[in-house]
Amino acid sequence: MSQIIDPFNRKITYLRVSVTDHCNYRCHYCRDEDHQTHTKKSQVLTFEEIAKIVALFAELGVTKVRLTGGEPLLRKDILDLTKMLGEIPGLSDIPLSTNAHLLPSMALKLKNHGINRANISIDSLIPERFKEITRDGNLDTVIRGIDAAINSGMKPIKLNMVVMKGINDDEIESMIDFAINRGLDLRFIETMPIGLAGIEAIDRHYSEKNILDRIYSSYGDKLTVADSKQTDGPAKVLKIKGTNTSVGTISAVSNNFCSSCNRVRLTAKGELILCLGQKDSVSLRDAIRSGMNDDQVKRLILNAITKKPEKHFFDSVVDNISNRQMVEMGG
Ligand code: SAM
């Protein structure tokens, strides 16, 4: 069985696929105010191309493929893609990352087309504030989307909240209560300095230590540390006794967890990105469209992996830093 091992002996088993760089929300830490998406349809991978690339990654040992964006549910006929991916041998997990705006009408269909679990971004429970952070998002619709996902039977559903000093840090406790009341998991994400928007947002960075202090001061006697083998990804996870909820922190800035990185990213335009913080990429779209056969594309992937850096270097100035916005890379 082939596998992808990078130069730092990390096994790559996880591919994040951005299916569109369009988003119906414009969260100000994700894309800057003037950022427009002008990607032409011809530049974007077709579903057949995505399925082809994912199948090659599966042959190389990737077992988990997350659909992200932009907002993945904006991609027309996305259910056709989820069905195609569900038929690829070797994939055991196909989760979705979404802002939930379109889930009220789509959750059940997604569940019936192979999406068993979802991560949902929600940064505030105060309608006006939510609207401001997302530049015009609608909290009521998002909450209806979350409830539709619950009712569809997707499980687990994880809420992702980017915590920002002076913007929404006063909502840590109310977001935990919201998650507990609905039996959902919750992850608090530190702002990352990705792209112009992320670099500007770093002034409002709220550290993992502060987040954990707040969680412990409210729930200390009820918390147990989750077994790291049972948690999925870089979050430090705490279970809250007497509830179905776990809370965790994703702290790419305070706490560099790159030594356990198991992922690479595919953009909507077919670029394979090796690290969120690094410029290097290779176009798998161009490789496929130029007529390369499967073995040649797999060799290209394995060769690209030799450039995966040891860590993201968010905290230092290096030549190779990426200037892509998060909305182009899928988080
Ligand atoms: N539209 C989908 C969503 O809302 O989840 C998927 C794409 S979005 C880029 C994926 C995740 O990236 C979201 O949870 C978002 O909050 C997070 N994100 C975007 N920019 C970020 C930044 N600068 N720092 C930390 N997280 C960021």
Side-chain angles (χ1 to χ4, degrees):
M1 166 85 183
S2 309
Q3 42 183 7
I4 309 178
I5 308 283
D6 82 355
F8 303 94
N9 217 21
R10 295 170 297 198
K11 190 168 162 189
I12 308 301
T13 54
Y14 177 18
L15 176 68
R16 295 177 66 101
V17 177
S18 171
V19 295
T20 176
D21 51 13
H22 288 262
C23 192
N24 41 1
Y25 284 6
R26 305 179 59 83
C27 304
H28 47 62
Y29 52 79
C30 187
R31 61 200 292 194
D32 65 73
E33 193 161 12
D34 302 327
H35 179 258
Q36 299 292 340
T37 307
H38 294 298
T39 312
K40 293 193 197 110
K41 198 172 167 204
S42 61
Q43 296 176 294
V44 172
L45 292 175
T46 63
F47 286 169
E48 287 70 25
E49 288 169 334
I50 294 175
K52 158 88 129 176
I53 293 171
V54 168
L56 295 177
F57 270 98
E59 285 173 26
L60 290 168
V62 163
T63 53
K64 169 174 167 183
V65 171
R66 175 177 296 281
L67 299 182
T68 177
E71 173 47 44
L73 302 186
L74 287 180
R75 180 83 189 249
K76 194 164 169 281
D77 299 326
I78 184 81
L79 297 172
D80 294 344
L81 178 67
T82 61
K83 187 165 177 291
M84 286 161 87
L85 298 184
E87 287 163 4
I88 295 176
L91 291 188
S92 53
D93 196 12
I94 311 176
L96 169 77
S97 284
T98 175
N99 59 30
H101 187 91
L102 293 170
L103 278 183
S105 62
M106 292 183 74
L108 190 57
K109 290 181 214 152
L110 285 159
K111 173 71 173 58
N112 291 338
H113 283 74
I115 301 293
N116 290 319
R117 64 190 190 97
N119 286 6
I120 297 178
S121 304
I122 177 166
D123 297 333
S124 175
L125 294 168
I126 301 169
E128 273 313 304
R129 187 182 278 178
F130 183 86
K131 192 169 177 177
E132 219 167 278
I133 295 172
T134 52
R135 297 199 186 102
D136 228 16
N138 186 315
L139 178 64
D140 178 57
T141 308
V142 166
I143 293 179
R144 282 193 293 111
I146 292 170
D147 288 337
I150 297 169
N151 292 335
S152 77
M154 286 186 198
K155 211 173 165 74
I157 296 170
K158 224 181 265 171
L159 304 178
N160 280 333
M161 172 180 177
V162 176
V163 184
M164 293 163 281
K165 187 169 60 191
I167 306 253
N168 64 352
D169 60 302
D170 56 340
E171 290 190 66
I172 290 178
E173 293 79 5
S174 50
M175 197 63 84
I176 298 177
D177 291 343
F178 178 86
I180 291 175
N181 286 336
R182 284 174 161 76
L184 309 178
D185 292 323
L186 173 60
R187 301 291 176 263
F188 295 107
I189 305 179
E190 282 186 351
T191 330
M192 288 181 249
I194 304 275
L196 196 57
I199 289 168
E200 281 171 8
I202 209 72
D203 289 347
R204 299 185 290 276
H205 184 258
Y206 195 81
S207 74
E208 174 184 55
K209 180 179 178 316
N210 287 337
I211 297 171
L212 287 174
D213 284 351
R214 296 268 296 277
I215 300 174
Y216 273 101
S217 87
S218 296
Y219 292 92
D221 55 337
K222 290 192 176 164
L223 297 175
T224 52
V225 178
D227 178 351
S228 62
K229 284 195 200 101
Q230 288 169 16
T231 60
D232 168 44
K236 279 184 205 149
V237 180
L238 300 162
K239 297 203 162 194
I240 307 181
K241 263 188 250 161
T243 76
N244 291 322
T245 294
S246 70
V247 291
T249 48
I250 301 182
S251 54
V253 174
S254 306
N255 175 20
N256 188 307
F257 43 69
C258 302
S259 63
S260 59
C261 184
N262 63 348
R263 64 196 62 189
V264 287
R265 294 170 169 82
L266 182 69
T267 68
K269 289 192 258 188
E271 294 167 288
L272 177 64
I273 295 182
L274 307 161
C275 168
L276 268 183
Q278 187 215 36
K279 230 185 230 164
D280 277 336
S281 67
V282 59
S283 176
L284 299 183
R285 179 197 67 196
D286 293 352
I288 287 183
R289 292 188 186 173
S290 73
M292 273 191 186
N293 68 30
D294 290 359
D295 283 339
Q296 288 169 320
V297 179
K298 281 199 265 186
R299 271 204 296 278
L300 188 67
I301 292 171
L302 292 172
N303 191 39
I305 299 292
T306 63
K307 292 207 172 145
K308 188 166 166 67
E310 184 179 11
K311 51 188 183 142
H312 56 53
F313 301 113
F314 288 161
D315 48 2
S316 34
V317 180
V318 289
D319 289 344
N320 206 21
I321 213 112
S322 161
N323 57 3
R324 294 182 189 93
Q325 311 238 9
M326 196 72 117
V327 66
E328 300 168 67
M329 295 193 286

